Amino acid sequence: MTDKFAEEKLQELRDQADVLDDKIVDLFKERMELVIKMAEYRAENRLPFARDKREREILKRVSDRIGEEYEEYGRLIYNTVFDVDHSVQSGVLAKRSNLAERISKAVDDTPKLFPKRATVACQGVAGAYSHAAAERLFQLPEIQFHNSFEDVFAAVENGDVEYGILPIENSSFGSVVSTYNLMQHYNFYIVKSLRLRINHQLLAKPGTELSEISEIYSHEQAIGQCSQFLAELKGVKVTQVANTAMAARMVAESDRKDVAAISSRECADLYGLDIIRKHIQVTDNNYTRFICISKKLEIYPGANRISLILTLPHVPCSLYHMVAKFAAIDVNLTKLESRPIPGSDFEFLFYFDLDASVYQEDLLYLLSELEASPETFVFLGCYPEAI
């Protein structure tokens, strides 16, 4: 066979491949248009994207049709097609979200300085750590005290106050579960957060000795943060109350001299109690993070933390795929908290904290995509954290 004949034969085969390529391209374009129509229909009707199940069905059909000889290559091609499908669908979803507009408006409308004066809801009574956090965040807050964390959420949602202060996690004892459980039931935005150093003291009536104490009052978080000290006490009952400041007030108002409270130095002064043991927390490096919430979306200069609530499809690897989306655009995930959805069959809400800003364009695009998806998505805010 001459070189010329071989080249002519090869060109003939290439021409045949070109014809097939043109058909593939036309079919691929037609398929993409169909993918867009399906994505729009699902989005309009809030239908779930049963992606994994559907893709497994397609891969099985491809394997059966293409035969064992080319099965591996066929599956490789279709996995690439699926990646393109996801990208196209994401674009459709992102265009349907107005999150970017709402965020842009909040950035423009929010004052450049955090307010000095405001009406602020706190749980507990005077001297509570939430009270201290409010006075750190605002120079002249008008404090309204409430009996429960839920009352604080409700006061903000109802417009009774401008802001609410809530503890959300502690460096020693972890998340404040009650706050996370309530977050899914109220409409609010986080506008700022604060890391407050916590030093717990054991308070009792003047002249009381540690050996006389038979019962100690405090909040669940404070009890956990002082677990080592409490474990060393023998025969002492530990009673949970709604707030550390309330515990101090209960001791001050009690007729008993054998009770004490785990509370703050400020509460000792406020309620006329003695500090009978100082710094009883497990570690001196003990911080509680508080969030400041508002009914209105406000994004202040320097905002570099984003919080979200998400639900995910109840299928294998859904959490992995979500985390991978943030990793792909180089966004650091600083917090992941899951809470069960009441009445569901082991399904969960996920709370994400991201080390990121809404000025990051690809992140804003991803958030818009997530808001337009059929799953639950709540943008809780983009905010700075004070230390």
Side-chain angles (χ1 to χ4, degrees):
M1 182 183 294
T2 65
D3 290 343
K4 182 179 178 181
F5 182 79
E7 280 295 326
E8 289 175 350
K9 183 62 177 178
L10 181 58
Q11 186 58 48
E12 181 182 335
L13 295 173
R14 286 171 175 164
D15 291 342
Q16 294 177 25
D18 288 343
V19 171
L20 292 175
D21 285 340
D22 289 343
K23 291 181 179 179
I24 290 172
V25 169
D26 291 341
L27 289 172
F28 180 74
K29 181 181 177 182
E30 185 177 343
R31 188 183 188 283
M32 287 298 98
E33 291 170 351
L34 189 58
V35 166
I36 291 172
K37 288 180 180 179
M38 289 190 291
E40 290 174 338
Y41 184 81
R42 289 194 186 101
E44 289 170 0
N45 293 276
R46 306 293 289 180
L47 296 176
F49 284 71
R51 190 178 76 190
D52 292 341
K53 180 181 178 183
R54 172 66 174 161
E55 290 175 1
R56 285 195 298 269
E57 292 171 351
I58 294 173
L59 288 175
K60 183 179 185 306
R61 192 170 74 245
V62 168
S63 296
D64 293 342
R65 188 175 182 87
I66 203 169
E68 185 175 347
E69 183 178 3
Y70 302 115
E71 177 183 3
E72 180 180 349
Y73 304 110
R75 293 175 72 91
L76 178 62
I77 289 171
Y78 267 84
N79 276 311
T80 303
V81 169
F82 295 152
D83 288 339
V84 175
D85 287 352
H86 303 161
S87 179
V88 171
Q89 290 174 352
S90 296
V92 170
L93 295 175
K95 289 176 183 177
R96 290 182 171 272
S97 168
N98 66 356
L99 178 62
E101 293 179 10
R102 301 201 313 271
I103 288 175
S104 178
K105 186 176 187 306
V107 170
D108 291 340
D109 292 348
T110 301
K112 300 308 177 187
L113 295 176
F114 197 70
K116 296 180 180 180
R117 299 172 178 266
T119 53
V120 183
C122 294
Q123 187 267 346
V125 295
Y129 288 114
S130 293
H131 184 188
E135 292 189 329
R136 281 278 301 277
L137 288 168
F138 301 90
Q139 290 185 16
L140 296 167
E142 181 184 329
I143 305 292
Q144 293 185 12
F145 291 106
H146 294 267
N147 290 330
S148 67
F149 293 154
E150 185 164 17
D151 289 343
V152 173
F153 277 110
V156 171
E157 184 175 82
N158 296 335
D160 299 332
V161 294
E162 297 170 274
Y163 301 97
I165 305 295
L166 293 152
I168 195 166
E169 63 181 327
N170 176 264
S171 58
S172 303
F173 199 60
S175 298
V176 182
V177 174
S178 54
T179 300
Y180 276 105
N181 285 341
L182 289 165
M183 288 171 74
Q184 59 188 288
H185 302 298
Y186 290 90
N187 296 314
F188 67 93
Y189 294 100
I190 304 172
V191 297
K192 199 167 186 178
S193 64
L194 168 72
R195 290 176 66 236
L196 184 68
R197 187 169 185 173
I198 304 296
N199 283 316
H200 292 301
Q201 329 291 333
L202 187 66
L203 311 183
K205 288 179 178 294
T208 304
E209 299 292 336
L210 179 61
S211 59
E212 299 177 71
I213 301 301
S214 65
E215 187 172 7
I216 294 175
Y217 306 137
S218 199
H219 184 264
E220 175 190 13
Q221 276 278 330
I223 291 169
Q225 293 164 32
C226 301
S227 57
Q228 186 174 321
F229 170 79
L230 293 172
E232 295 171 357
L233 302 180
K234 304 302 180 184
V236 176
K237 180 182 178 182
V238 178
T239 301
Q240 291 186 17
V241 298
N243 185 272
T244 56
M246 287 182 177
R249 190 173 71 177
M250 287 171 62
V251 170
E253 295 176 351
S254 174
D255 294 331
R256 298 166 57 186
K257 197 180 178 181
D258 65 334
V259 291
I262 297 174
S263 192
S264 65
R265 178 181 295 275
E266 290 74 16
C267 281
D269 296 336
L270 188 61
Y271 295 107
L273 300 174
D274 281 353
I275 298 175
I276 59 176
R277 284 294 184 276
K278 298 180 180 180
H279 309 311
I280 59 173
Q281 65 272 2
V282 172
T283 174
D284 286 337
N285 190 33
N286 186 41
Y287 290 87
T288 293
R289 183 169 167 247
F290 291 84
I291 54 174
C292 178
I293 65 172
S294 170
K295 187 176 182 179
K296 181 182 177 183
L297 176 59
E298 299 174 350
I299 302 177
Y300 288 91
N304 58 1
R305 182 188 290 261
I306 292 174
S307 293
L308 312 170
I309 295 178
L310 298 169
T311 59
L312 300 174
H314 198 37
V315 296
C317 298
S318 60
L319 179 57
Y320 166 79
H321 288 307
M322 179 56 64
V323 173
K325 287 177 183 286
F326 293 112
I329 58 174
D330 200 29
V331 169
N332 184 32
L333 180 65
T334 59
K335 173 84 173 179
L336 174 57
E337 181 82 14
S338 65
R339 305 303 308 156
I341 300 174
S344 68
D345 185 15
F346 292 101
E347 295 186 34
F348 293 83
L349 279 175
F350 293 91
Y351 297 84
F352 286 74
D353 280 356
L354 311 174
D355 183 13
S357 170
V358 291
Y359 296 105
Q360 185 175 334
E361 187 174 348
D362 50 3
L363 174 62
L364 197 56
Y365 186 88
L366 174 56
L367 297 179
S368 297
E369 170 199 334
L370 294 175
E371 186 185 53
S373 73
E375 305 298 332
T376 298
F377 171 86
V378 181
F379 177 76
L380 292 177
C382 180
Y383 53 95
E385 180 163 284
I387 298 176

